[in-house]
Every structure is written in structure tokens, then in C-alpha cells.
Amino acid sequence: MRMNTPVPAHAAPRASAAPRLLVCLGPEERSSFFLPEQWARLEALFPDLLVQTAPPTPEALEVLLRSVEPTILLGSWRLPALPAQRVRIPSLRYFCYLAGSVRRKVPRRLLEEGLLVSNWGSSISRTVAECALLLLLMTLREASHWAVEMHTRHGFKTAGNNHARSLFGRRVGIHGIGAVAKHLVRLLVPFGCEVRAWSEGAPEALFAQCGVQRAPSLEALFATCDAVVEAEALRPENEGCISEAHLRLLGDGVFINIARGELVEEQALLRVAREGRLRVGLDVYHDEPLPPHDPLRGLPNVTLLPHIGGPTPDRRCDSTAFALENLSRFLQGHPPEALLTPETFDRMT
């Protein structure tokens, strides 16, 4: 049974024992995440596919889930939060989330009660790493500064104003040791960079898997690198962990943030950036969208992107491909990959 209109609240309980999938995506989300051939595969996997625009409220979602009785729910950003207790959604066994953090979608208690939950895992990590590389190159070459100068002020380089630098042979530090760091290390290989990383409490095996040297401390990472890329997950205990002292250890180096703005002391970053020595590349901010008159705007040594680190709209299909594989695994009786646990939930941004 395929439904593209709202599912009525009095929908009859399903008679089949086969897993039933409820897709809660609006037309824009569906066209953004699904290629036509991917949607065709989804229909092939689930002949009784149910399709519904995401309800506007958690209460409406609970009514929908109780009336339709799906085994699996597939959703994305516009989906409201799930009910806090599995007893209120007894049929649901697996929540396949197409986007990233589920902290605002899934109460932790549901994980403790056995609900299977997966997100896009590491399927989008390469696009985030790509953005980090872009910011490194833009910041070193002062690309955003020259774009403004040449487009609006008729500027051009002179002997005294060309301060471009190369990425080749640089010492690059990565704060964070997840999938993004792993992909970034690979992207840096052609540049012959010496790469090291640090992450609080991360096991030594992760650094070995990424092929990077482990820095002794966060301070040592900043003190011994020409550029540091912020790629750590935001958690309550590390909010504001990048202080003015850390930034000053970089001297006239480069600081890139593709993770979360709240990891950095905002006013400290602004103070150091205003001095002009440190080159800064940002894709994330404390306040998003970045306010029109934010003091970071207009600083020639600061490269700004509007939180487009990943996935780019044309690569959201990577997340869908990962989700389709997980749905297929579930149908075959195998656990989906990148399942979240209460512990990984606690470490999520």
C-alpha cells in the first residue's frame, strides 16, 4: 500500500507480518535525498511503503505512528521528536534517520529500551573533510579577501600585499579523531603534510587507524602545528574548550572550524582575529545564521562560509545509499551499521 496523501488517524492495523516502512519526508526533502533509482529501490524493498509528510508536532507524530503501526520509520530534519517511551509507539523497532545528530529527535531512553537508531554515519564525512581542505586552501591563499578586493574594490596584488601561502609541507593538526579526520588525512596526502591529532579520551587505536601521530595534549597540538582543524564533536564538557591561549599558540598560523562554533570561546576568537596575525576559516558559528553585523564579517584574515560543510545537496544521496543498505540489512535480519548506543548518543554534537 503506497500512500502519498496524509494517513488517516483511523487507518486499519496492518495484517501482514512483513516489516512496514513509514517514510516521513516532505517533497523537497524527498527530492533532495533520493535519486530516482534510489526511490525505486526503496519501493522494491517495501511493496507496502507508506509515505507521509512529516507531522508538525511530536503529538501528531505519535498519533500517526500508533495508527499506522510501522516497524521502521525513515525521516530527516523536519521530523518532530519521537515519544519518550517505547510503550507509546509499540510497533516501532527501527528509526532510520537520514541526517546527522538525533539528540533532538530521539530521547535517550528509547535507546536504552532497545529501539534501533541509525543516522548518516560516516557516509557524509568525506564532504565535510573536503570543506576543511577548501577552507585551508582559501585561508592560506587569502581567497575570500581577494574575491572582495577584485570584485568590489578593483584590487590586485602588489609586491607588498601578496601574503599567500602554500599548504604543501605544512604541519596540520586535527582536533578530533572521527571519520572526518580520517578522510581529511587522506585528502592531505598529496600535499605532503605532517599530520597529528588529539581528542580527549580517544583510544590509541583510533589514531593508528587514521594513520596520524597522537599529540600529547590539546595545547601541544596548537603549539606544534602550522594549522589546526577543529573537527571534534560538541558535548557539554567540551563547550568553549578552545581558548584564547590555544589560539595564540598558533601565532600567525591557521585555525579552521568545521565542527561547531560553541567549541571555541567566541570573544577570544574575535580578539585574536582582529589582531590580524592568525588566519581563520569558519563554517560554523555560535549564532546561525551569522548576524548581518557580526564583527567577524569584513575581517580580511577571516574566511567565512555559511555552514555548508556537508553534505552538499548533490551528495545527500550518499546518506540515502547508506540508509538503503541499512534497511536491506534489517530486512535480512542483520543489525544496521552505525547503530547508536546510549554511549555514542552522549558523545554526539
Side-chain angles (χ1 to χ4, degrees):
M1 177 174 59
R2 187 170 299 111
M3 308 184 72
N4 292 302
T5 55
V7 179
H10 59 275
R14 60 193 182 100
S16 171
R20 171 180 281 186
L21 172 65
L22 171 62
V23 177
C24 282
L25 295 174
E28 291 183 1
E29 283 187 312
R30 172 175 162 177
S31 62
S32 176
F33 277 97
F34 278 87
L35 299 175
E37 58 268 29
Q38 290 177 322
W39 189 260
R41 184 184 176 193
L42 187 69
E43 291 180 319
L45 285 172
F46 297 93
D48 293 332
L49 180 68
L50 302 171
V51 183
Q52 167 73 35
T53 300
T57 65
E59 293 76 19
L61 176 61
E62 181 176 349
V63 170
L64 177 64
L65 292 174
R66 291 178 71 88
S67 64
V68 172
E69 297 185 338
T71 314
I72 311 165
L73 173 65
L74 178 75
S76 185
W77 290 300
R78 294 185 181 178
L79 192 74
L82 295 178
Q85 296 175 308
R86 284 199 69 187
V87 68
R88 292 163 59 182
I89 45 173
S91 69
L92 192 64
R93 294 172 53 202
Y94 176 32
F95 175 36
C96 185
Y97 189 54
L98 288 172
S101 177
V102 300
R103 290 182 70 93
R104 296 181 181 178
K105 305 295 183 182
V106 181
R108 189 181 190 277
R109 179 173 176 176
L110 293 184
L111 296 172
E112 297 172 338
E113 293 178 348
L115 179 67
L116 301 178
V117 178
S118 66
N119 62 359
W120 57 25
S122 60
S123 65
I124 57 91
S125 299
R126 63 174 183 167
T127 58
V128 180
E130 176 190 41
C131 186
L133 178 62
L134 170 68
L135 279 171
L136 278 168
L137 292 169
M138 288 181 68
T139 305
L140 285 165
R141 294 276 182 165
E142 299 185 320
S144 62
H145 164 69
W146 284 114
V148 173
E149 284 291 312
M150 296 188 71
H151 277 296
T152 65
R153 299 170 186 165
H154 313 292
F156 206 78
K157 72 170 185 177
T158 67
N161 68 7
N162 181 12
H163 306 295
R165 299 177 189 172
S166 172
L167 180 58
F168 283 98
R170 293 286 173 190
R171 298 171 300 171
V172 177
I174 305 174
H175 180 206
I177 196 62
V180 172
K182 186 174 183 179
H183 282 281
L184 181 56
V185 170
R186 293 174 181 171
L187 292 177
L188 291 171
V189 168
F191 295 92
C193 295
E194 178 186 328
V195 185
R196 62 196 64 179
W198 187 86
S199 182
E200 180 73 44
E204 191 67 39
L206 284 179
F207 297 89
Q209 290 171 11
C210 287
V212 297
Q213 176 186 349
R214 180 175 188 163
S217 65
L218 184 59
E219 290 73 20
L221 187 75
F222 277 79
T224 60
C225 291
D226 304 309
V228 170
V229 176
E230 184 58 61
E232 185 65 281
L234 175 66
R235 301 181 293 274
E237 63 269 23
N238 65 9
E239 184 171 346
C241 63
I242 306 303
S243 67
E244 183 169 340
H246 292 111
L247 296 170
R248 292 197 179 281
L249 288 172
L250 279 170
D252 60 355
V254 173
F255 176 71
I256 304 295
N257 192 356
I258 54 162
R260 285 292 184 270
E262 292 86 347
L263 288 162
V264 187
E265 291 183 10
E266 185 175 37
Q267 291 305 310
L269 177 63
L270 181 60
R271 281 193 299 272
V272 177
R274 277 175 166 166
E275 294 173 4
R277 289 186 63 203
L278 182 67
R279 302 180 186 211
V280 179
L282 304 174
D283 184 53
V284 290
Y285 311 92
H286 280 245
D287 296 323
E288 295 187 7
L290 189 66
H293 302 292
D294 190 281
L296 285 169
R297 295 183 185 268
L299 295 179
N301 57 317
V302 178
T303 298
L304 304 177
L305 293 179
H307 202 152
I308 56 173
T312 52
D314 62 311
R315 294 313 318 174
R316 288 175 187 163
C317 59
D318 295 339
S319 169
T320 305
F322 183 71
L324 286 169
E325 289 302 315
N326 268 342
L327 291 169
S328 179
R329 289 177 62 85
F330 182 86
L331 289 177
Q332 295 169 17
H334 303 304
E337 294 185 351
L339 283 178
L340 301 179
T341 65
E343 292 72 28
T344 56
F345 180 91
D346 292 339
R347 294 198 300 269
M348 295 185 77
T349 291

